[in-house]
């Protein structure tokens, strides 16, 4: 997998994860687990230079 394909995969996962988070209660166990992955993806995307301004609507 090329770097570009990996970045695309991470962006798609980030968007999908935010969709799931938006329908969960913030104090639920699934939300807490998703938030951990959300944070990991934010770090990965930031390191790759992806601007999260437009795609991060959870903003946590």
């Amino acid at each position: 997998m090329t770097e570009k394909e990996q970045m695309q995969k991470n962006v798609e996962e980030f968007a999908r994860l935010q969709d799931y988070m938006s329908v969960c209660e913030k104090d639920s166990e699934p939300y807490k687990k998703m938030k951990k992955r959300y944070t990991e993806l934010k770090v990965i995307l930031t390191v790759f230079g992806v601007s999260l301004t437009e795609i991060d609507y959870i903003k946590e």
Side-chain angles (χ1 to χ4, degrees), residues 21-32:
M21 290 173 74
S22 70
V23 297
C24 286
E25 297 293 326
K26 287 189 175 187
D27 60 345
S28 70
E29 197 60 35
Y31 187 92
K32 291 174 186 175

Side-chain angles (χ1 to χ4, degrees), residues 15 26 37 41-42 49 56:
K26 287 189 175 187
R37 182 60 180 154
L41 286 168
K42 279 182 79 165
D56 184 8

Side-chain angles (χ1 to χ4, degrees), residues 36-60:
K36 182 179 181 220
R37 182 60 180 154
Y38 166 85
T39 302
E40 293 168 351
L41 286 168
K42 279 182 79 165
V43 170
I44 291 166
L45 294 172
T46 300
V47 167
F48 277 110
V50 175
S51 173
L52 300 176
T53 305
E54 295 295 321
I55 63 173
D56 184 8
Y57 59 87
I58 298 289
K59 299 187 188 314
E60 287 191 20

